[in-house]
């Protein structure tokens, strides 16, 4: 066994241990902490699998936004714990569930072990057509050009998710600011950290979008970092969420899918097909879409983490 | 080559663990975590599939990886929606369990909000 | 020259690994939350720091080296702030617990 | 050199796994959060080492992102603890 394989086995064992802890922990808060640590380590697994783009996305979501979302929800649901525990299914049901899960896992394991060799791959095609977009990062090419339809629809899903979250607001709070207003000492430690970290984070986020053309990175990863920085200033009490009735906010939210859709329709009118880019303008068009998408992703993810409107609109 | 097998099996095991927790754990927030574990395991299997085709020229197939990035976004927005639903149910009913008799037994708790 | 740099890498990375060992042992063996916080900060600052110092000679260029140092600075900044905040929360909850144990009245 | 770096990476990963025991035991949420913070730092160090082993400079971006965001959970945890105190305090409970 090579030292590399030993390392991979250790990493996989630690990840599995954290997943098992997130499942088995008695208290919900303990399970949430386990799941956050799991998210951090999964980023390491993606690096070991050679997928740095995915590692960046996982580090930003699993390490940052996801943890904030689950921790604050867990704190608010604390009183719910005992009541839910009373509904724990009996030993027979648990045994049946374990058998079912084991069967599903065994089926998947057989499928993974019997994958065809040599493995089919689209990597050479992606590399051969990179010249059509002028960008060197194959994943950005797949996301923005070769399978742009997926990415467009994903942006609509994000928007629909946000509409769903907002629609949960009580009638009297509609139009107000999402989430509770965070109280914090404006001269305190958290505000100090937010003032120092947020500018660095904004630069890192923009850098990630820019470098995404040729190196690992991209609009989603950059947007997530920007969202995390916005959330940090909110948690430090320096800013508040914008009211959901704000027109400017809504413009930012539809900017990404809107620009994407307009470019796609222009491709239908002037080019070969929906979402086809004319070769001469492919890179500027993709960069324009990415900039608009970054803003949308940052705003949408922040507001998704903040939750439904909970503050009355101040007039 | 072996990295793909090791982490692919890891993903398979995570799917199994998550599925078990999704079925048996009564706490709705734990079900949301379990749902995320199942998703994460499926992404790992995708990653293993992408890694299998690694050669000296390419670190793996970019298509499944791009799909995983899309999947991470969609999983996050689904999680946020589920958490928001759960919090709203808790605020409205004073309890957020999935049992049949949960609403009637806890209506008096709602007066605090 | 190359040899000297490699020796520096080995010494510094080993030092970093030692501090992770010390931090983990402290995390497991120290008796209460605040002493464990002390162990954590050593692993945070010196563990990551020495690994960064050890990797500097292996960096491909000045840009990579700057990014390595930047990572350490980030860990230093947020680690120190967060440990302060955690310690304050521990103090605050202790005080609240004492007040609740004493009986009715304002919690402070 | 690669063998040495891989071995140190494995060592730090084992340390990280031992830190899991503290998440298991608690007893307080603060202890669990600190253990997660330690796992985060060890994860950053491991990512840097893995980048050096694989000779992929972009990996440092991942470590940088983790460094930027790894403390987020701790901050949310601290906010959660403080907001619970504020709810107990009748003076500042007006935000619900």
């Amino acid at each position: 066994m090579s030292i590399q394989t030993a390392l991979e086995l250790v990493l996989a064992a630690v990840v599995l241990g954290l997943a098992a802890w997130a499942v088995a922990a008695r208290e919900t808060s303990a399970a949430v902490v386990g799941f956050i640590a799991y998210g951090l380590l999964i980023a390491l697994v993606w690096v070991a699998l050679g997928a740095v783009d995915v590692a960046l996305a996982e580090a930003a979501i699993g390490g940052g936004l996801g943890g904030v979302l689950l921790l604050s929800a867990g704190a608010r649901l604390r009183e719910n714990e005992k009541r839910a525990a009373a509904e724990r299914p009996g030993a027979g049901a648990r045994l049946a569930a374990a058998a079912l899960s084991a069967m599903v896992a065994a089926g998947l394991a057989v499928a993974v072990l019997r994958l065809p060799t040599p493995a089919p791959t689209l990597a050479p095609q992606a590399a051969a057509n990179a010249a059509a977009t002028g960008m060197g990062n194959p994943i950005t090419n797949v996301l923005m050009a070769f399978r742009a339809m997926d990415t467009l629809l994903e942006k609509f899903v994000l928007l629909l998710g946000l509409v769903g979250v907002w629609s949960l607001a009580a009638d009297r709070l509609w139009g107000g600011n999402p989430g509770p207003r965070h109280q914090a000492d404006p001269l305190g430690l958290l505000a100090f950290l937010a003032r120092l970290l947020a500018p660095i984070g904004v630069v890192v986020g923009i850098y990630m979008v820019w470098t995404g053309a040729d190196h690992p990175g991209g609009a989603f990863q950059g947007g997530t970092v920007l969202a995390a920085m916005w959330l940090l200033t909110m948690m430090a009490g320096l800013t508040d969420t914008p009211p959901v009735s704000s027109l400017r906010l809504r413009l930012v939210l539809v900017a990404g899918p809107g620009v994407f859709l307009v470019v796609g329709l222009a491709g239908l009118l002037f080019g070969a097909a929906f979402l086809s880019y004319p070769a001469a303008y492919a890179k500027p068009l993709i960069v324009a879409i990415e900039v608009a998408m970054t803003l949308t992703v940052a705003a949408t993810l922040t507001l998704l983490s903040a939750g439904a409107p909970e503050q009355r609109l101040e007039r | 080559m072996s990295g793909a097998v090791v982490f692919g099996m890891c993903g398979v095991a995570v799917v199994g663990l998550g599925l078990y927790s999704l079925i048996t754990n009564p706490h709705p927030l734990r079900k949301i975590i379990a749902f995320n574990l199942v998703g994460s395991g499926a992404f790992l299997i995708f990653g293993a599939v992408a890694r299998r085709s690694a050669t000296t020229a390419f670190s793996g197939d970019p298509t499944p990886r791009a799909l995983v990035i899309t999947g991470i976004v969609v999983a996050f927005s689904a999680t946020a929606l589920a958490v928001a639903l759960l919090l709203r149910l808790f605020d409205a009913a004073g309890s957020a369990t999935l049992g049949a008799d949960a609403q009637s037994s806890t209506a008096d708790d709602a007066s605090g909000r | 020259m190359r040899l000297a740099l490699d020796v520096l890498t080995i010494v510094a990375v080993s030092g970093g690994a030692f501090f992770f060992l010390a931090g983990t042992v402290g995390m497991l063996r120290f008796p209460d939350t605040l002493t464990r916080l002390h162990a954590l900060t050593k692993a945070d600052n010196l563990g990551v720091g020495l690994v960064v110092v050890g990797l500097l000679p292996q960096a491909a260029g000045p840009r990579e080296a700057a990014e390595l140092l930047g990572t350490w600075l980030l860990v230093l900044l947020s680690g120190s702030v967060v440990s302060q905040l955690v310690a304050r929360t521990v103090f605050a909850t202790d005080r609240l617990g004492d007040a609740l144990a004493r009986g009715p009245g304002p919690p402070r | 050199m690669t063998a040495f770096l891989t071995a140190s990476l494995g060592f730090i990963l084992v340390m990280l796994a031992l830190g899991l025991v503290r998440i298991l035991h608690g007893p307080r949420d603060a202890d669990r959060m600190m253990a997660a913070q330690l796992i985060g730092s060890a994860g950053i160090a491991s990512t840097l080492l893995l980048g050096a082993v694989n000779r992929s400079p972009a990996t440092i971006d991942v470590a940088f992102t983790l460094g930027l965001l790894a403390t987020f959970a701790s901050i949310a945890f601290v906010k959660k603890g403080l907001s619970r105190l504020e709810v107990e305090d009748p003076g500042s409970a007006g935000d619900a």
Side-chain angles (χ1 to χ4, degrees), chain A residues 78-193:
Chain A
R78 196 169 274 261
E79 296 109 83
N80 198 35
E81 194 134 341
K82 248 181 253 138
R83 211 168 283 138
E87 290 175 13
R88 193 171 165 74
R94 270 181 286 155
L95 201 65
L100 175 72
S101 310
M103 259 159 55
V104 170
L108 278 175
V110 171
V112 169
L113 289 176
R114 298 197 48 194
L115 284 170
T117 343
T121 173
L122 293 172
Q125 285 95 317
N129 290 304
T133 63
M135 294 192 294
N137 180 356
I139 294 190
T140 305
N141 277 334
V142 171
L143 278 175
M144 299 304 301
F146 306 149
R147 292 200 59 93
M149 186 65 120
D150 292 350
T151 313
L152 176 63
L153 291 178
E154 169 219 306
K155 290 295 162 299
F156 285 129
V157 169
L158 264 184
L159 215 52
L160 283 176
L162 187 62
V163 169
V165 169
W166 282 2
S167 68
L168 295 170
D171 278 347
R172 65 194 169 82
L173 299 177
W174 173 249
N177 308 41
R181 179 92 168 97
H182 287 281
Q183 309 285 341
D185 180 6
L187 297 175
L189 260 176
L190 202 51
F192 165 77
L193 181 70

Side-chain angles (χ1 to χ4, degrees), chain A residues 23 25 38 83 89 105 116 168, chain B residues 12 24 30 40 52 65 88 109:
Chain A
V23 165
Y38 170 86
R83 211 168 283 138
L168 295 170
Chain B
V12 166
T24 59
R30 302 291 292 274
S40 170
R52 286 180 76 246
R65 290 176 179 170
R88 185 79 179 105
D109 289 329

